Amino acid sequence: MFHRGAITVGHCEAKDIGLDINPRAMKDANKEQFERYRKALPNLVYTNGVDFRFYKQGQLTRDISIAISSWAYSRSPISSPHWRTSCATSAPSACRPSPRPNDWPR
């Protein structure tokens, strides 16, 4: 919950990384829970840690991603060599993500 002083101003539901939080992709209990929260909570942030969906009065107001979701490429961010960085032999300040392969969805 998010508070301003003693007043609750919003709620956040965090799902597992890699779980698609698009309502069209949800099934069963996840979909039912999402619909309950969306209808009942006036300010809702729904996230899987990578993708964030912001709802106000039940309506989607913003949808952002801070990285390419694991389901969009390989269903597992760890299994993809493109998620690795060049940090193994570098100083932390020299770490850079691996280049984006040409076959990634845009």
Side-chain angles (χ1 to χ4, degrees):
M1 293 192 315
F2 303 104
H3 294 93
R4 180 169 293 159
I7 300 171
T8 300
V9 294
H11 295 81
C12 181
E13 175 64 11
K15 296 298 187 181
D16 290 337
I17 290 177
L19 183 69
D20 190 349
I21 61 168
N22 186 325
R24 291 179 296 217
M26 291 181 195
K27 295 181 178 150
D28 305 325
N30 279 332
K31 182 148 185 116
E32 291 170 14
Q33 180 190 45
F34 166 76
E35 288 299 330
R36 275 194 323 271
Y37 287 6
R38 186 182 62 81
K39 290 175 183 174
L41 304 171
N43 291 307
L44 174 64
V45 178
Y46 216 78
T47 182
N48 62 11
V50 175
D51 305 307
F52 295 81
R53 296 176 70 93
F54 299 87
Y55 294 87
K56 186 167 188 160
Q57 303 298 331
Q59 298 298 311
L60 180 66
T61 59
R62 176 84 51 150
D63 184 10
I64 63 170
S65 293
I66 59 171
I68 293 178
S69 298
S70 59
W71 54 266
Y73 183 64
S74 68
R75 295 239 182 241
S76 173
I78 306 301
S79 68
S80 172
H82 306 294
W83 285 85
R84 298 187 185 124
T85 65
S86 59
C87 296
T89 58
S90 303
S93 61
C95 293
R96 297 193 195 333
S98 299
R100 179 185 173 128
N102 292 331
D103 61 337
W104 275 24
R106 300 205 181 264

